[in-house]
Structure formats: structure tokens, C-alpha cells
Amino acid sequence: MFDFDATLPLMALQFLVLVAILNAVFFKPMMKALDERNDYIRRNQVEAEERLSKAENLAKQYQAELAETRRQSQSVVAAAQAEAQKIVAAQIAEAQEQSRLQREQAQQELDQQKQEAMTTLEREVDSLSRQILSKLLGAPV
Amino acid sequence: MLSFLSIPSLPLASLEVGQHFYWQLGGLKVHGQVFIVSWIVIAILVVASLLATRNIQRIPQGIQNFMEYAFEFVRDIARNQLGEKEYRPWLPFIGTLFLFIFVSNWSGALVPWKLLKLPEGELAAPTNDINTTVALALLVSLAYFYAGFRKKGLGYFAKYIQPTPVLLPIAILEDFTKPLSLSFRLFGNILADELVVAVLVLLVPLFVPLPVMLLGLFTSAIQALVFSTLAGAYIHEALEGHGEEHEEHA
């Protein structure tokens, strides 16, 4: 059971050769592959994080722009409403003015006609009273 | 050993311990069965690694995914023991220790080697031969001495008298007990597991040994983990070298 012979050193040599072979065909390539994969993953992760932060910045920017645009549109709407209000008010005022003028003109015409009628009436009264007088007196005055 | 129990009608269930399929290399004797299985184990590891890393994708699939899981497992062993800063140069050694021992143990537990007849001895896990485990344990010792000297030069010896010179004998003894306990723990567990399974198969051929086999798979995996973890701990101790004790557990 315990007979030592040349198997021992030969086995040791053989094992060292196996270490060298496996180092060349197994450990080194595996180490390299795993390191490369780690690098790849780390790089990708960093890139992805950069991209994520970029996307978040963009989103924030868009939000800000959106808010700005919304505010602008609101002010435009408000301005348009104010303008329309102004136009409406002006037109109403104009219309009112016009109607007032027309009314005054009509009033004036009315007054004038009344005046005219009064004067004609007075004149007729005058002539009539003169006729009556002449008839009563029978002779021209 | 136990040959009085062997039943000729059950080829799966005979026990041979201490018999080896000897090869002569020049004037040297080697255990052929250990090398055959260890070559198969090495071939499995190398082929799986080649398949996994032949065409590395960013999104792993199939064999690459599986081998990445194995890689991360051994990397965690090395990193937990040596720390984030030191583990990289030692990862191939500790990782290969784990993978080699794990595949060896499981090949012994899962592959019915008995079906392949050898002239002498039998195929089994390479780790159930004391030569293999001692070789690995001595490599661990060399590794941690190398780590210590490389980091601190001759200042490495300071750790032997660091808290107090009284402990010098124990500190020296430790350098012998470490490889001894490493090798015998692995060797004993794997051999005992195979023996228990073999004896049970011999006594009750069907189904009854299954729970013990499952337990064997479990201890095999645990032994690989323990061996590589302790190797990492020893190397870390040599690198740190303030005489902290790492509890050993079998």
C-alpha cells in the first residue's frame, strides 16, 4: 500500500505540466473573458446611467418648455380676450353714441317742426283773427 | 487481502490493494494504472477546457457556461483563502489542484474501471495511490515555501520564531505535518471509500452499496475542496506569515 517509487516525482512533474497547460487553455482565457465581461457590463451600466440622466434632463427641459408655452398661450388668450373686450366695449360705446346722436337729431327736427308748426299756426291765428276783426268791424282797419 | 472472500462469478467485486501494474522506465518502477487513469483525467480536463475556451462568447452557453461555473468555483476557493489582492498568480495552481483531485476522485467513484482488465493491479482513482497524494502535498509545500521566500526573502524564516522562539520546534514540525496530513487525508479517504464500496458490493451486490457510493461521491468532492482550500490557506499563511494557525479539518 505504501510503496513509494518513481510514480511520485513523475506524478508531480505531470501535475506541474497540467498546471501549465490549464493555465494556458483554461485559467487565462477564462480570467480574460470574465474581466472583459465585467468591463463590458460596467461600461454599459455607466453609459446607461449617463443616458438615463440625459433623458431625465431632457424630460425636465421639456416640462419647463411645456410650462412656459402653456403660460404664453394663457397670456395670449388673456390678451386676445382683453382686446376683444375692448373692441366690444368700443363698438358698444360707438353704437350708443350714434344712437344718441340720431335721437338728438330727431329731437331737433321734431323741435324745429314743432316750432314751424307753431309759427304757421300763429300766423294763421293772426290772419284769422284779422279776418274776424274785419268781419266784425265791417271795414278795414 | 480479503481474497478469501472473492467470488469468481462477480467480476466487479474482487478486492486488490497494494498490487500494482508496474511499468519499467529505465531503472525506475512506476505504477502504470495510476498514470493511465491520470492521463484520462488530464485528457478530460484539457478537452473540456479547450471546448469551453475555443470560442468564448460574451453570453456563455453550454460547455462554456459549465466551465465558467467551475472556474468561478475554484476562483472563489483561491480568493477566499488568499484575498482579492494575492489570489491571481496562485489561481492556476489551486484551481488545478481542485479540478485534478475532483475529477480523479469522481472518476474512481463513477467509472467502472474493473471492466478493463489489467495484467496486474486494477484501475482506480489516481488519488487512491499514496504516490499521487504525496506528490500533490509536496507540491503544496514547495508552493508555500516559494510564496514565502518570494514575498519576504530570507525574512520568511522570521515566522518560525515570530510570536516566541519557544514554538520553534512546533513551527518546524508543522512543515512536516502539513504535507503529511494533506496527503494521508486524501489518500485515506479515497482508498477507504473505494474499499468500503468494494466490500459492500462483495457482500450485497445490488442496491445496498448505493447510499455508500453516494456518500463516496460526497466525500470525494469534499476532499478535493479540503485539499485545495488548505493549499490556499498554507500559501496565504506563508504570504502573511504572522503565525496565525489555520484549523485543519479532515
Side-chain angles (χ1 to χ4, degrees):
Chain A
M1 215 188 300
F2 296 116
D3 55 343
F4 293 99
D5 51 22
T7 312
L8 197 159
L10 287 179
M11 186 56 92
L13 267 182
Q14 181 178 291
F15 182 79
L16 287 180
V17 171
L18 178 65
V19 171
I21 293 174
L22 282 192
N23 185 32
V25 302
F26 181 58
F27 290 103
K28 267 188 188 155
M30 277 290 171
M31 192 63 107
K32 197 161 144 264
L34 263 67
D35 284 350
E36 273 172 7
R37 187 177 306 149
N38 274 349
D39 280 353
Y40 172 78
I41 289 170
R42 205 174 306 131
R43 217 168 40 236
N44 264 13
Q45 198 177 1
V46 167
E47 255 171 44
E49 269 165 14
E50 258 171 33
R51 233 175 289 155
L52 184 65
S53 74
K54 221 180 272 177
E56 273 170 1
N57 278 347
L58 270 185
K60 224 176 274 172
Q61 196 183 324
Y62 286 153
Q63 288 285 348
E65 275 175 24
L66 190 63
E68 176 71 17
T69 311
R70 212 170 262 160
R71 216 166 35 240
Q72 271 179 4
S73 74
Q74 272 173 357
S75 69
V76 165
V77 166
Q81 275 179 343
E83 207 174 334
Q85 205 80 44
K86 225 185 296 173
I87 291 172
V88 166
Q91 279 180 349
I92 287 174
E94 200 183 340
Q96 277 176 346
E97 181 70 19
Q98 216 168 359
S99 69
R100 196 179 55 83
L101 279 179
Q102 279 177 351
R103 212 168 50 221
E104 273 177 11
Q105 207 180 344
Q107 191 75 41
Q108 244 170 2
E109 272 171 30
L110 209 64
D111 284 354
Q112 207 181 336
Q113 281 176 5
K114 208 161 90 182
Q115 201 76 33
E116 271 172 27
M118 284 302 248
T119 51
T120 29
L121 214 60
E122 250 166 49
R123 235 182 357 255
E124 272 176 28
V125 166
D126 242 20
S127 71
L128 274 179
S129 58
R130 218 164 283 205
Q131 276 178 2
I132 291 167
L133 203 61
S134 69
K135 263 200 189 147
L136 279 179
L137 294 177
V141 180
Chain B
M1 182 178 174
L2 290 178
S3 57
F4 58 93
L5 281 173
S6 62
I7 303 161
S9 63
L10 287 170
L12 284 175
S14 61
L15 279 178
E16 292 167 342
V17 173
Q19 296 181 26
H20 297 289
F21 176 44
Y22 285 107
W23 286 348
Q24 291 285 343
L25 286 179
L28 303 169
K29 278 210 260 178
V30 297
H31 297 171
Q33 87 277 12
V34 177
F35 278 103
I36 291 173
V37 181
S38 74
W39 291 338
I40 293 169
V41 169
I42 289 172
I44 290 171
L45 287 174
V46 171
V47 167
S49 304
L50 284 176
L51 282 180
T53 56
R54 187 187 44 182
N55 180 20
I56 289 187
Q57 304 285 322
R58 181 176 295 143
I59 297 165
Q61 273 190 336
I63 181 85
Q64 190 195 342
N65 211 350
F66 176 73
M67 290 307 276
E68 272 188 23
Y69 173 73
F71 174 81
E72 284 180 3
F73 186 80
V74 295
R75 188 187 61 182
D76 286 348
I77 295 175
R79 192 163 55 187
N80 287 341
Q81 294 306 319
L82 290 168
E84 183 71 46
K85 224 172 70 186
E86 310 267 16
Y87 83 92
R88 281 190 181 228
W90 293 102
L91 173 60
F93 182 66
I94 295 172
T96 309
L97 270 179
F98 177 83
L99 293 175
F100 179 72
I101 296 173
F102 180 76
V103 177
S104 294
N105 293 353
W106 272 36
S107 78
L110 289 177
V111 182
W113 297 113
K114 290 274 173 61
L115 297 179
L116 293 171
K117 278 282 171 215
L118 287 182
E120 202 185 357
E122 63 190 29
L123 293 176
T127 38
N128 89 345
D129 190 282
I130 189 79
N131 288 288
T132 311
T133 61
V134 170
L136 296 179
L138 286 179
L139 283 179
V140 171
S141 292
L142 286 179
Y144 78 73
F145 273 112
Y146 171 74
F149 282 126
R150 181 146 179 230
K151 181 97 181 274
K152 287 177 261 178
L154 287 179
Y156 175 65
F157 286 118
K159 83 157 195 172
Y160 287 94
I161 50 168
Q162 196 69 76
T164 154
V166 177
L167 292 177
L168 177 67
I170 293 179
I172 293 174
L173 206 58
E174 228 178 31
D175 283 331
F176 292 96
T177 56
K178 276 173 182 172
L180 202 67
S181 66
L182 270 184
S183 56
F184 273 77
R185 178 185 308 117
L186 182 59
F187 165 71
N189 271 287
I190 301 310
L191 185 70
D193 171 53
E194 294 198 349
L195 282 183
V196 166
V197 170
V199 167
L200 271 180
V201 169
L202 199 68
L203 296 175
V204 215
L206 282 179
F207 301 120
V208 177
L210 275 180
V212 183
M213 287 175 172
L214 285 179
L215 185 70
L217 283 181
F218 179 68
T219 47
S220 298
I222 291 294
Q223 285 313 311
L225 180 66
V226 166
F227 199 103
S228 50
T229 305
L230 282 177
Y234 294 157
I235 293 169
H236 173 72
E237 203 179 330
L239 288 172
E240 293 288 312
H242 290 301
E244 324 112 296
E245 289 294 316
H246 287 273
E247 261 316 303
E248 288 185 20
H249 36 78

